[in-house]
Amino acid sequence: MSRSARSLVALFTLGWALLLAAADMNYDLRPVRIATDTWVLTGLSEDFSFKNGGNIVNTGFIVTPAGVLVIDSGPSRAYGEQLRRAIARITDKPVVMVLNTHHHPDHFLGNQAFAPDTLAALPDTIHGIHSEGGSFNENMYRLIGDWMAGTEVLAPAKPVTPGPMELGGHKLELIALKGHTGADLAIFDRSTGVLFAGDLVFHDRAPTTPHANIPAWQASLDRLDTLGFQVLVPGHGPVTLDAGPIRQTRAWLTWLDKALRQAAEDGLDMTEALAIDLPAEFRRLAVVEAEYRRSVGQLFPAYELKALSRSGRPAQ
Amino acid sequence: MIKPHALAAASLMLACSLALAAPKGETQNDPLGSHNWSYMRKDLFPANARVVFDERVKVSAPLTAENPMNVPVSVDAAALPGVTEVLVFADLNPIARIVRFAPTGAHPGLGFRIKLQQSSPVRAAARTADGTWHVGGTWVNTTGGGCTLPSAGSASPEWQKRLGEVSSRVWERKEGGERIRLRIIHPEDTGLAAGIPAFYIQPLDLADAQGKPLMHIEGFEPLSENPVFTVDIPAARASTGYQVSGRDNNGNAISATIEK
């Protein structure tokens, strides 16, 4: 074989190897037991990327004699399917309920992996998935590419009723809150003391704010703080045994609200608001620079409108 | 005999050199490396004009714009003497021209927001009294789609009632002088969303309380919906109040007094 033919064969082989690696799309999901019957899959503290396949979110499940409760289904169909297989490696109990804590893409795009009649969420979350799910899904294809293969929006049909819910001896409390989005579901397992806080709580990773209402979010954090949990599962970032992540999320939101209001009141242009120095205490949060920029884009116009409306008046 | 592919290569080289042909003194390469620059040069500036890349013209915009409908941009050409007008454009936007402004008393800069259809250089070309265009700019990356989406306003009768309404406020600047920020209710439709014709603010004039001009702005389709402008006024031209007047491409008038 000539030298050029050999190089061609080598190139061809390499091409196939790369394709096969991509087709593998292995999230390498390893559930960690954080309390009796309770497992968490902790995502990376990163932005969505082709490299991480969108595995930046925490999902979890509770295994009971009456079946398995899944909390959030991940960013893609592949993630959902791998989550289902990870659960099957731990228990032979069927998944009886999948709760989507809110309507952001990394929390529900794995729904296709589960039986449709097991999917449930707050009514406004279901509404949000119907109205915005399609564009989220498209955007995820742009952000993580092939990892999204076969992913379609599957909205839960079953609305959950907030309040106590018993499942296989676990005394659960479904708590309807808002602030991160218009409907945020927290799940507190009184039997184990585990609180699944959804994206109301971020840990060592800057919060995302595309649908944020900061005062409502702060009120929800206050509520979570009073629950007396023993283990806290944030939506993003490591699990803890204390309320540290609640304080951290609250501190960021308080600073963000104050900084943006001040910037608007001082007459800063949006490009100047983007250039504000972040306080040292937040610099160690993962992706804080990127999230701050996104938050300015999402939230600053409203602060600006308020600052301009004060003395502005239409022509007579 | 010349081989066909050699001929093709030669004509390609000729085409390239023609596309890049420019008057003397204009030999710098585009610092932003845009394949569209030579066409921008040809389309937006007279052939005999002197056009130079100049870092003194500052364009501030986020490297990554999360919302392609609302990308913040600030232009500052104050490092140049005697700026008579500034043209802001984005090479790879379906409508490249964004805004043109002529500071007739105001600081030679402007803050505003734009719609971007895809990642693109965003540039400001400032013309000085000698006729030279000084071009500065920055790349903005975005997911795109900003120009082909309908405005929120185009679907709402409530917004139509408030068309042309101006909100504004004046600040004293620490550096001296004043800052005016104003927001105008207008859908700023590009005409690129199916069935929605172009509908956008064209001339906008800012003057002091006595009516002496401070800034003339000419808007194009890519300015964001409900545009917000930031204009700085040097201490020497600070006034007891300001006025803004203009119209959109349908002839709807914009007129407001900006009180302190």
Side-chain angles (χ1 to χ4, degrees), chain A residues 296-312:
Chain A
V296 171
Q298 292 149 359
L299 306 175
F300 189 65
Y303 289 97
E304 192 176 54
L305 184 58
K306 219 169 165 190
L308 287 177
S309 301
R310 185 158 303 170
S311 62

Side-chain angles (χ1 to χ4, degrees), chain B residues 80-146:
Chain B
L80 286 173
V83 171
T84 56
E85 69 173 302
V86 179
L87 173 66
V88 184
F89 60 98
D91 296 24
L92 301 178
N93 232 19
I95 302 168
R97 284 181 185 85
I98 295 164
V99 66
R100 187 189 292 274
F101 63 92
T104 48
H107 181 90
L110 188 67
F112 49 93
R113 300 209 269 270
I114 69 173
K115 298 183 286 260
L116 273 184
Q117 184 66 12
Q118 61 177 328
S119 300
S120 172
V122 175
R123 309 192 203 243
R127 189 162 67 95
T128 43
D130 64 355
T132 303
W133 291 90
H134 304 258
V135 183
T138 185
W139 266 95
V140 178
N141 297 309
T142 181
T143 52

Side-chain angles (χ1 to χ4, degrees), chain A residues 265 267 269 271-272 304 307 315, chain B residues 74 113 171 179 181 230 255:
Chain A
E265 281 299 320
D269 190 87
T271 54
E272 294 163 335
E304 192 176 54
Chain B
S74 292
R113 300 209 269 270
W171 284 265
R179 164 166 289 190
R181 303 202 72 214
T230 303
S255 173

Side-chain angles (χ1 to χ4, degrees), chain B residues 62-88:
Chain B
L63 178 62
T64 303
E66 304 297 334
N67 181 357
M69 301 284 281
N70 213 9
V71 183
V73 178
S74 292
V75 173
D76 188 350
L80 286 173
V83 171
T84 56
E85 69 173 302
V86 179
L87 173 66
V88 184

